[in-house]
Every structure is written in C-alpha cells, then in structure tokens.
Amino acid sequence: MHFVILIVIFVALVIGPGLWVSAIMKRYHLPKNRYPKTGGQVARELLDGLSLEHVRTEATDSGDHYDPIEKVVRLSAANFEGRSLTALTVAAHEVGHAIQDADGFKPLRWRTRLVRWVGPVEKVGAGLLMLAPFTVALTRIPMIGLFTLLGGMLTLGSSVVVHALTLPAEFDASFGRALPLVKLRGVLRKEDMPRARRLLMAAALTYVSGALQSLLNIARWWAILRR
C-alpha cells in the first residue's frame, strides 16, 4: 500500500509541473495584443542592444530555445509573432541564454556538449538493459549480466544528468539575465513583472519534470527486468 502511494506521489510530481506550466503559459497568452511589439521584435532589439547582432532570431515549430551551435534564438510561431506577456517573457528568457553563451556560462557549455551524445547513449543503455537477461542465459555467468544491467542503468540515466545541468542554466537565464534586462529596458509593464517571474519559474519546472520522467523510465525498466 505504501509503495502504491509513493508511486502515485512520484507520478504526480512528474505530471504536475507540466500541467501547471501549460496552464500558466495559456493564461498569460491573453490578451494577445497586450504589447505593441512581438516576441520576435523584442528578442531582436534586446540582442542588438547587447551587441549580439550576430545572433539570429527565427520562428520554429520545434519549441522555444536558443541554439548555441548556430547562434540562433528560436521562438514558436505564437511567441515569435505574438504580443502577449508570455511571448515577450519567453523571448527575453531565450535571449538570456544567448547572453550566457556570449559570457561563456559553464553550465550552458556543459549541457551543450552533453546533449550531442545523450540521445545515442540512451539508446545504448536501453539495448544493454534488453540484453541483460539474455547475457545471463547464454553465458551462465550472473556477474556479466549484472555488469550489463548496471551499464544500461547508468547510460539510460544520462538524460537525468543533462536535466540537472539544465536547471542552473534555466534559472540563471530567467532570473539572472532576462528579468534584470527587461526591467532595465522597460520591456514589460511594472504590474506584469510578478507575472513574468511566475512564467519563468513555471518554465524552469519543466526541466524538474523532465529529470523525474527520466528517473521514472529507469524505474520502469527495473520493474520489467524483475519480472
């Protein structure tokens, strides 16, 4: 019974932040014409004002993010073309990542390097986990199966490391870069600053949810292998 309760709590922790983020983002997408400038325009102006003219801005359908390899601030169409509080806040946040990149912020650099190989490594981890029972059956050496299992668990957990490195980068981009910048440049209305802070906190929590989701995937593999 206690185990079931723990599972329910853990699942709630995984799903809860995502639902809250979605609700917050939708809430401050209205009114859609709250500001005279779009998220894309604000991002461009902030970058130019920081002498980051080499960083491009563009709309994307793959989610809001800053690409440190190609030096591009990418915003979803709704935020790139939108004039809502959400659009401008998200734009400022991604500009915050561009500032980190220009300043050589180490957590962002480490995360960038890890992301390149975490996908293939996770696939290797899943393969090792699937092979673990067969390795024991074929070799009749439990220790080999154990090493295979541990290798799979460790590689599958690489995404947890990426999310852990992402958190300091996200919080710094939001509260160390974006908020002071929009306040200094007068991008947002004074009454919108607490709402912008809530938006940025919600965005950061998505990575907490992502880390917990990775742990849940590992737990699911463990449950399968124990059967």
Side-chain angles (χ1 to χ4, degrees), residues 182-213:
V182 296
K183 188 175 182 180
L184 178 66
R185 299 296 171 86
V187 173
L188 302 178
R189 298 176 184 177
K190 187 176 180 179
E191 65 269 24
D192 278 342
M193 291 303 291
R195 298 163 187 161
R197 183 178 290 274
R198 200 172 301 128
L199 273 165
L200 293 169
M201 179 60 73
L205 285 179
T206 60
Y207 294 93
V208 175
S209 177
L212 292 173
Q213 181 66 54

Side-chain angles (χ1 to χ4, degrees), residues 30-163:
L30 300 173
K32 294 183 178 181
N33 61 345
R34 185 168 183 79
Y35 287 92
K37 295 178 181 178
T38 66
Q41 290 171 333
V42 167
R44 184 70 270 157
E45 288 184 6
L46 290 176
L47 290 167
D48 291 346
L50 293 165
S51 299
L52 296 175
E53 295 90 350
H54 65 284
V55 177
R56 295 181 289 115
T57 60
E58 62 185 33
T60 181
D61 56 4
S62 59
D64 306 287
H65 65 280
Y66 170 68
D67 187 335
I69 305 300
E70 297 188 15
K71 312 299 181 188
V72 186
V73 167
R74 295 192 175 104
L75 301 172
S76 64
N79 290 329
F80 191 84
E81 300 168 3
R83 302 172 188 271
S84 66
L85 174 60
T86 293
L88 270 63
T89 302
V90 170
H93 170 78
E94 299 307 335
V95 169
H97 283 306
I99 301 172
Q100 289 176 334
D101 189 23
D103 290 345
F105 189 62
K106 289 184 179 179
L108 180 67
R109 288 190 172 184
W110 294 335
R111 181 187 181 278
T112 302
R113 291 170 185 168
L114 280 173
V115 166
R116 293 182 182 182
W117 56 265
V118 72
V121 165
E122 280 193 306
K123 291 179 181 178
V124 170
L128 287 173
L129 288 174
M130 293 177 67
L131 287 173
F134 299 103
T135 303
V136 175
L138 291 173
T139 63
R140 298 177 182 271
I141 304 175
M143 194 57 95
I144 293 179
L146 179 61
F147 280 126
T148 305
L149 176 63
L150 289 175
M153 288 291 187
L154 288 173
T155 51
L156 201 61
S158 58
S159 62
V160 179
V161 177
V162 171
H163 287 300

